[in-house]
Amino acid sequence: MENTSIVLTSEKLVIQDCFNFVQDASCGGISIFVGTVRNLTKGKTVTLLDFSSYEPMAVKEMQKIANAALQKYPIKKIAIHHAIGSLKIGDIPVVIAVSSAHRKAAFEACEYAINTLKETVPIWKKEYFEDGEVWVNAHP
């Protein structure tokens, strides 16, 4: 679709690609959420995250989120990009960018998109620690 960009990739995510996609002369606001791999979870040192996915369904669900955001909020464009595979501390697993005429819609749609993605998209995260590993989310 011309107003959505959905990407699921093992390549490094580029924030600027999402910004460039949503930028539009009719829009005065762009909101970008960037998720990064942190080094600590519940007091334990994280060494690596590994994201896996049922890719055909994940892309379909990501597109559904984008379509719903376009219906629910007065936004112009939305990009939802997610990485799969092994990611180190500081790497970027997810970028969501939204443009709208005014900032409020961009903020709200961006928050809706990340919250819904975490609840419904079949992407699973395994956290690796110095002393073992654990699957973080077993949903959807």
Side-chain angles (χ1 to χ4, degrees):
M1 296 185 80
E2 64 188 48
N3 54 354
T4 64
S5 173
I6 306 301
V7 173
L8 184 64
T9 182
S10 59
E11 300 296 319
K12 181 177 178 177
L13 296 183
V14 179
I15 299 166
Q16 191 67 43
D17 290 348
C18 293
F19 178 86
N20 291 347
F21 176 80
V22 300
Q23 192 172 27
D24 189 273
S26 69
C27 295
I30 294 175
S31 182
I32 300 175
F33 172 79
V34 179
T36 60
V37 177
R38 64 181 177 269
N39 66 356
L40 199 65
T41 296
K42 297 180 182 176
K44 293 181 78 172
T45 300
V46 175
T47 59
L48 181 78
L49 294 184
D50 189 53
F51 290 88
S52 59
S53 173
Y54 176 53
E55 293 183 38
M57 182 61 77
V59 169
K60 184 177 177 182
E61 289 298 314
M62 290 163 68
Q63 185 65 59
K64 281 173 59 176
I65 293 167
N67 293 344
L70 286 162
Q71 292 294 315
K72 186 175 173 105
Y73 303 97
I75 62 175
K76 178 74 172 186
K77 294 181 181 179
I78 182 169
I80 303 174
H81 294 192
H82 205 296
I84 54 174
S86 295
L87 295 158
K88 298 177 287 198
I89 305 306
D91 285 348
I92 299 171
V94 63
V95 178
I96 297 174
V98 180
S99 61
S100 62
H102 304 284
R103 68 182 176 271
K104 184 176 181 182
F107 282 132
E108 291 176 345
C110 198
E111 182 178 32
Y112 164 82
I114 188 59
N115 289 344
T116 307
L117 182 144
K118 289 179 106 7
E119 292 174 6
T120 66
V121 178
I123 296 173
W124 302 282
K125 177 173 68 173
K126 192 175 204 181
E127 282 185 318
Y128 289 84
F129 304 100
E130 294 171 327
D131 62 350
E133 71 259 354
V134 63
W135 285 101
V136 176
N137 44 353
H139 59 73

